[in-house]
Each structure stands twice: as C-alpha cells, then as structure tokens.
Amino acid sequence: MEFNEQQKTIINTHGGMICVSSAAGSGKTSSLVEHINHLVNTLGESEKDIIVISFTRAAVDSLKKKLSKLSLSFVAVHTFHSLAAMILSNAGISVSKTFPLWKVDNCFKKIAKDADTESILSWIGFQKNQGRSFNDEFVFKDSDYEDSELRVFFKAYEKEKNNENAYDFEDWILMALKELKKHSMKYRFVINDETQDCNALNIQMLKLISDKNLMVIGDARQSIYGFRGSDPSFFLNFDKEFPGAKVLNLDTNYRSCKNIVEQSNNFIKPYFKEYSHYADSVSFNQENGIIGLISSMDAKEESLKIADKIQKMIIDGRDPNDIGVIYRLNKSSEFLEAELRKRKIPYDIANDSSFFKRREIKGLLGYLQLVDNVHTDGAFIDVFSLRNEPLKFMAGSVLEDVRRQAGKNDESMYETFIDFKLPNVWQQRGITEFHNNITRLVMQKDKGVSVEKLIDNVVKIFGMEKFIKDKYPNYDEQKERIASIEVLKSFVKGNNLKGFLEYANSDNIPKKKKAEGVRLMSIHRVKGLEFHTIFIVGVKDGDFPHERASSIEEEARIYYVALTRAKQELYISQLGTDNQFINKYFNK
C-alpha cells in the first residue's frame, strides 16, 4: 500500500506524546497498523511493550486480524473493559458475576412501581463513568427524574448489587483504576483509537498505564457518544495537557467525492472556531458526486419518495448493498421499512430498530395471528411473552410447561393453555379471560369485521395503551409507541387478514451472517461504515437536531458523521421546511 506524507509521518514516529487528528476516510487504521509494524520490525521494539486500546470488540478483533497478518500476535489489543478485566484477574479479583436486569427492575419497582429501569440505569452508568457515586454531586444528564429521586435509585441499586456480590461494567473500570493506583502497570507504548469517545475514567486509565509514549488517535468532529459520558475535550486539549506534545493531521479523505467532502467541511467548521489545530478534510477524489435534497410534508410521503429512488437505482443496476439509509431516531425508519418490504426490495435493519420487531407491534401481530389461526404456536409465544393483561403476572415457567405438555399431547400451545390447570384462582381466571377475548375476536373476524377494526379491538380488549404507559414511563416514548399502532394500521390494504399477516411477518432479512440488502440503521450504528449512496432521513427540527439533546454541538457532530458516510451520492431528506441543519448545510 502506498502511504501519503502525513501517513508516513505518523507511521515513522518513535515515541513521545502524539495526538493524531484523523479525518473521515483518511486511512487511519492502516496507518496505525503500519506504525506498530514500524516500531517492531524497523526500530526493534518488543511487541509486549505495546498496547492498543479501542472502544468496541469488533474494532479490537479487526485490529488483531490485521496485526496477525503481519505476524504481530503478541501486541496487546483491548477494549477498556477487557483491559480492566485483565488487570483485575491478574490481581486475583473475580468480577464475572453480573446483576441481572430483572433484579434491577424489581429493585427499582420497589421504589416506584412505574420506574423506567433502562433510562435510570443509563443515568447511573453515565454518573459512574464520570467517577461519581450516589453520595457525590452529579454531572448533569437530561432525565425525566429529579436528582433527589435518582439518588435514591442509585443508592438502592448499589446496595442490592453489593448484596449479590455482583458487578456492572462501570465497576470493572473503577476497580481496575484502584488496582492501578496501588500497583503500577506501565506499557512503553500506549496507543488509543477513537480517543474523542473517551470518558473521564477512560482518560484516567490511559494516564495510569502510559509513561512517556502515548499516541491518541481520533476525530473530534465525530464525537457522538455524550449520552454515555464521552467528552472530546481531552483530545482537543492534548497539547495543553502535555506541553510539547505533537499534533498531527490526517487530512486526506479517500472515501468521498470532492463536493461531499467540501460541503461537510463547510457545515462542521463553524463549530470548531476555538480549536487551533482544526484542518479541513481534503478530497483525494477530485470528481464531484451527487448531493440532493428531498422535502416531504410527513414521514409517509418521505418513504414513498425514497423507496421510488431506491427502486429505480436497483433497476438501473445499483447493488442494494451499496445503499445506506440512516437516521437520528429509530422511528424515522417505520414507513420506509414497510415500503421496502411491500416492494420486495431486500433490506437489512438492526433488530432493535425494526418497526415490525418492536415489542408492542410484535405482540399485536401475535394477537392477530391467533385470531386468524389459534393453532399458531409462534404467535402464542409472542403474545405470552408480551406479558400484558390478563397474563401479566404469569411466570415464564408456565410457558415452558405449556410447551412441553403440548408436545406430549400433540396439540397446539393455545389448545393446551386454555385447558391448563394452575394452582391459583387468579391464574385460572386469567386463562379463561384470555380464551374468551380471543374467541370474541375470532367471531368478529368470521363476521367480516375490517382488519383496522380488529386491530382497534385488540388494543382495547388487551389494554395495549395501558401496557405501553406502564412499561415506558417516558412521555415521549409513550407517544411514539402508541402512534406506532396507527402506523401499523396504515399498512393494511383491503380487508384480508391473512394477506396482511403474510406481509407483516414476511422474513425480509436474509438468514446470513453478513448483512445483505439496503442497510437501515441509526447514525450511531453507521459510524465507521461507508456506502456508495447514503440517504439521511427524518431531518426535522425537534427530531434532528433533537429537542432534548445535551448540546447543539453534539447534534451537529452526529449530522457530520452522517454526511461523511457517502462515497458518491448523498441525499438529505427533510420533513417540512426551514429546518436549521438543512439551512446551514445548503447555505439557505
């Protein structure tokens, strides 16, 4: 591989405090790997004196493979958590026992029956990543709860976890830091990738394991994990933290066409006025690509326009794998996913953002499948797993007992369940009520009640809106999930329940390890990836930039990450008009 002059400078460095500011698509990983190769095979440094730390297991695995190809298998490559686990293991400390989510949920529900466990845990993790305990003054993070309430949850969580002798990932880091302060462990060469995503504890660890040779690599323009406690200030102020440190740039973007690179520069540069080392990216490809603006009144219109464009591209020979659709919020994919499915355009979407795999939608479809055919075991499992009324308090073991009994009797699980004998009167009453509700809905279907009306009746009879409100205390999420029921109804065409279920349950995602088809994902997931064609969807003030974002600067960085994924074609789709990021990007 031929390296440019900036890359050669980084490859050939030999120690010292070095900060490498690497633009999107600048060949950062290749330069990093070749730098390690140079240290060992040209300068004679020992592999065992070198440690590389990155953020994700995937990045670590990729680096290990690249180093292994150069016969550099003894270089230590870790995530911060795997490094912490190694430090603790060497000290004879076991942190393998985790605190199960259901126990955390029970702990929080004792304090408030409608506690939003996931958001509280996220807040606690954020505080611990800043080195704060429940006794300390907290670092601000947006929450639906008051600090006094959160302090109670935090204290109870730590007490219950300690009673269980269990640990969370933040504990690993905190305990490893204590160990490092007691027993020094230094590496001669420390290299940290994606340093802009470091939090306060990560930075402490870097300082404790490095001596005089620390290389940090990253791009402050792509710092987008503030919600997890990351802060780019250490990276931005590296030469102030370590006077005499070198700041080197990797400016050349080998990914994107000239106008895509230049307009991305123009958008993000105003947010870095105070950074003396800022440098625009320079496009290696001097050809201009396509930059387009799509404007729609709502998400449904947007999905039709984008699906039309994608369909035409594929007809004209574009490989669906070369197309990425990315968004700030998962709800932005709802209508487009359905439209791609309807047109039989292959696509891949992460399970946690697929509209049809949302808990309430999957449950609703399960009810409808039972109404269409009560002998569908998969539908029964989906409905039982939803755990709403009247099955809300039935143990998971009941489902396993029903499954075994159904197998013995050669019956469907539904048949077995309605005749199942349970010890408590309230459980038997729940089974009877569930059976009666399904029977009523089957009778309505047989009388020709419309599919939309059946959906409304399932929602009403099984208390789906109450289920959503109980499960998701966050008002915005309640609104979004209840609205998703109306979205589901909008996909109904005609009055054919069987046909609708075939469409909604069609397995559009290929059963292969490698994702295939048009890729739909959040911008936080797309970081590090690139596509020939990118669609950024759902750009609308309030959604993107988000009205509850911690800062407009981080929202701008998220937008910049999205812009820089495109190699040759970039389409930005806005809802409504006069949206601030659209106006700034297109100089309106």
Side-chain angles (χ1 to χ4, degrees):
M1 179 178 175
E2 189 68 33
F3 292 99
N4 66 36
E5 290 307 308
Q6 287 183 329
Q7 290 171 329
K8 287 176 184 175
T9 300
I10 288 151
I11 290 165
N12 295 326
T13 55
H14 189 196
M17 294 302 194
I18 313 288
C19 177
V20 179
S21 184
S22 58
S26 61
K28 170 193 70 172
T29 305
S30 301
S31 303
L32 186 158
V33 170
E34 192 56 34
H35 168 64
I36 296 168
N37 188 34
H38 177 75
L39 283 176
V40 175
N41 291 317
T42 304
L43 301 176
E45 299 290 353
S46 170
E47 290 180 54
K48 293 180 180 179
D49 286 338
I50 304 168
I51 186 170
V52 186
I53 307 171
S54 194
F55 271 85
T56 66
R57 173 51 57 192
V60 164
D61 289 344
S62 175
L63 278 168
K64 282 182 176 178
K65 282 179 186 174
K66 287 179 168 69
L67 289 168
S68 180
K69 285 179 182 176
L70 297 172
S71 300
L72 296 168
S73 301
F74 293 104
V75 174
V77 187
H78 285 284
T79 62
F80 279 104
H81 287 106
S82 71
L83 175 59
M86 184 194 78
I87 292 165
L88 295 171
S89 177
N90 289 345
I93 301 169
S94 173
V95 289
S96 58
K97 188 176 180 184
T98 57
F99 194 32
L101 186 60
W102 67 268
K103 286 191 175 181
V104 180
D105 195 49
N106 287 346
C107 169
F108 290 165
K109 293 287 198 295
K110 288 176 190 172
I111 298 166
K113 65 176 183 178
D114 61 349
D116 185 347
T117 298
E118 288 187 17
S119 74
I120 296 167
L121 265 185
S122 172
W123 184 91
I124 290 172
F126 177 88
Q127 298 304 327
K128 291 177 79 168
N129 278 328
Q130 305 298 322
R132 305 301 169 96
S133 76
F134 54 79
N135 288 320
D136 296 325
E137 184 179 341
F138 298 138
V139 178
F140 175 77
K141 184 181 191 294
D142 190 39
S143 173
D144 291 333
Y145 295 91
E146 298 293 327
D147 277 9
S148 57
E149 297 173 289
L150 290 163
R151 195 178 297 278
V152 172
F153 285 120
F154 196 169
K155 188 174 182 178
Y157 169 73
E158 291 298 320
K159 182 181 177 184
E160 289 288 325
K161 182 162 57 65
N162 291 339
N163 288 342
E164 294 271 335
N165 291 317
Y167 303 90
D168 58 29
F169 282 153
E170 287 75 28
D171 292 331
W172 291 19
I173 304 288
L174 288 163
M175 292 168 71
L177 287 172
K178 281 184 184 175
E179 215 36 54
L180 286 171
K181 287 169 185 173
K182 286 192 291 185
H183 306 288
S184 177
M185 185 188 81
K186 300 280 187 183
Y187 282 85
R188 181 162 157 73
F189 296 95
V190 176
I191 302 168
N192 177 230
D193 190 19
E194 304 285 4
T195 307
Q196 77 280 351
D197 293 330
C198 277
N199 61 43
L201 300 185
N202 301 149
I203 292 161
Q204 279 188 54
M205 188 171 281
L206 286 178
K207 289 177 179 178
L208 285 168
I209 65 168
S210 61
D211 191 6
K212 297 176 182 177
N213 305 312
L214 171 62
M215 176 183 280
V216 297
I217 306 171
D219 184 2
R221 292 165 292 194
Q222 297 187 66
S223 177
I224 62 173
Y225 293 104
F227 65 93
R228 290 201 310 227
S230 69
D231 182 353
S233 58
F234 173 72
F235 184 79
L236 290 167
N237 297 309
F238 191 79
D239 57 333
K240 293 173 185 166
E241 179 97 21
F242 304 105
K246 292 180 186 175
V247 178
L248 306 173
N249 287 309
L250 284 177
D251 296 337
T252 306
N253 182 313
Y254 292 97
R255 174 186 298 156
S256 306
C257 290
K258 186 171 184 282
N259 57 339
I260 293 175
V261 171
E262 289 179 349
Q263 283 199 222
S264 300
N265 288 336
N266 293 340
F267 173 80
I268 200 65
K269 190 172 184 175
Y271 295 95
F272 285 87
K273 287 176 183 172
E274 306 302 315
Y275 183 45
S276 59
H277 299 290
Y278 177 86
D280 279 336
S281 295
V282 178
S283 178
F284 180 78
N285 182 351
Q286 290 299 297
E287 298 284 326
N288 278 334
I290 295 172
I291 299 175
L293 173 64
I294 301 168
S295 296
S296 308
M297 290 313 296
D298 56 35
K300 198 165 186 180
E301 182 185 340
E302 176 185 63
S303 70
L304 293 172
K305 288 180 178 178
I306 291 173
D308 283 345
K309 274 190 171 296
I310 290 172
Q311 191 166 38
K312 185 174 186 310
M313 286 175 184
I314 293 170
I315 289 169
D316 291 344
R318 180 73 44 79
D319 186 340
N321 297 321
D322 290 337
I323 302 170
V325 180
I326 57 180
Y327 32 84
R328 174 69 176 83
L329 302 175
N330 285 337
K331 71 174 184 178
S332 299
S333 67
E334 292 173 350
F335 285 104
L336 181 59
E337 184 188 358
E339 196 59 37
L340 294 176
R341 184 176 289 215
K342 187 168 77 176
R343 299 181 191 211
K344 296 189 172 13
I345 295 172
Y347 71 90
D348 177 86
I349 185 169
N351 280 348
D352 64 351
S353 62
S354 172
F355 174 77
F356 295 97
K357 287 188 165 46
R358 282 186 171 198
R359 191 170 181 186
E360 65 278 6
I361 297 301
K362 193 175 178 184
L364 250 175
L365 291 171
Y367 283 119
L368 292 172
Q369 190 78 61
L370 280 180
V371 170
D372 186 58
N373 179 0
V374 293
H375 303 302
T376 311
D377 285 349
F380 177 80
I381 291 168
D382 286 344
V383 165
F384 191 95
S385 301
L386 193 66
R387 291 294 211 289
N388 67 317
E389 297 292 355
L391 310 181
K392 187 174 182 180
F393 297 108
M394 288 201 184
S397 58
V398 173
L399 182 63
E400 288 309 307
D401 292 342
V402 169
R403 194 198 302 266
R404 276 194 296 271
Q405 191 64 40
K408 282 182 187 175
N409 296 345
D410 195 23
E411 293 180 328
S412 68
M413 291 177 72
Y414 179 84
E415 283 177 295
T416 301
F417 182 65
I418 62 176
D419 290 327
F420 214 63
K421 300 303 176 194
L422 290 168
N424 296 318
V425 173
W426 63 265
Q427 289 178 314
Q428 288 301 142
R429 195 161 47 235
I431 291 173
T432 302
E433 185 182 341
F434 178 75
H435 176 46
N436 290 342
N437 288 344
I438 294 294
T439 302
R440 281 168 60 196
L441 290 164
V442 170
M443 289 171 63
Q444 291 174 11
K445 180 207 70 168
D446 291 344
K447 287 179 180 176
V449 168
S450 71
V451 177
E452 290 99 322
K453 184 65 177 170
L454 277 175
I455 293 173
D456 285 339
N457 290 345
V458 167
V459 170
K460 183 178 178 182
I461 290 170
F462 289 103
M464 292 295 289
E465 289 195 7
K466 183 178 185 303
F467 166 78
I468 289 169
K469 287 175 180 174
D470 288 344
K471 192 71 187 169
Y472 305 100
N474 181 284
Y475 177 69
D476 289 339
E477 189 167 9
Q478 286 177 9
K479 253 188 358 179
E480 184 187 326
R481 288 181 180 273
I482 290 170
S484 71
I485 296 169
E486 291 303 311
V487 172
L488 181 68
K489 285 165 60 178
S490 74
F491 301 148
V492 176
K493 304 298 176 201
N495 189 32
N496 181 347
L497 178 59
K498 198 175 289 294
F500 171 66
L501 288 168
E502 284 175 5
Y503 155 75
N505 291 320
S506 61
D507 191 2
N508 195 283
I509 303 171
K511 292 280 190 284
K512 294 182 181 177
K513 285 186 180 178
K514 188 176 179 183
E516 290 189 6
V518 178
R519 298 287 300 279
L520 279 70
M521 67 183 81
S522 72
I523 298 166
H524 285 90
R525 278 183 173 270
V526 81
K527 194 161 177 268
L529 301 179
E530 59 185 36
F531 293 88
H532 176 282
T533 303
I534 279 286
F535 291 88
I536 305 172
V537 302
V539 181
K540 173 189 174 186
D541 286 358
D543 286 348
F544 193 13
H546 198 275
E547 60 192 351
R548 294 181 66 179
S550 57
S551 72
I552 191 65
E553 289 79 12
E554 177 149 302
E555 292 294 292
R557 296 194 297 265
I558 295 170
Y559 192 72
Y560 176 79
V561 167
L563 297 171
T564 54
R565 299 310 98 194
K567 293 198 279 189
Q568 295 188 37
E569 294 186 29
L570 173 64
Y571 299 94
I572 304 169
S573 177
Q574 69 169 339
L575 301 180
T577 56
D578 202 30
N579 292 297
Q580 60 174 306
F581 279 178
I582 297 293
N583 293 344
K584 284 179 182 177
Y585 182 77
F586 288 101
N587 287 319
K588 289 188 174 184

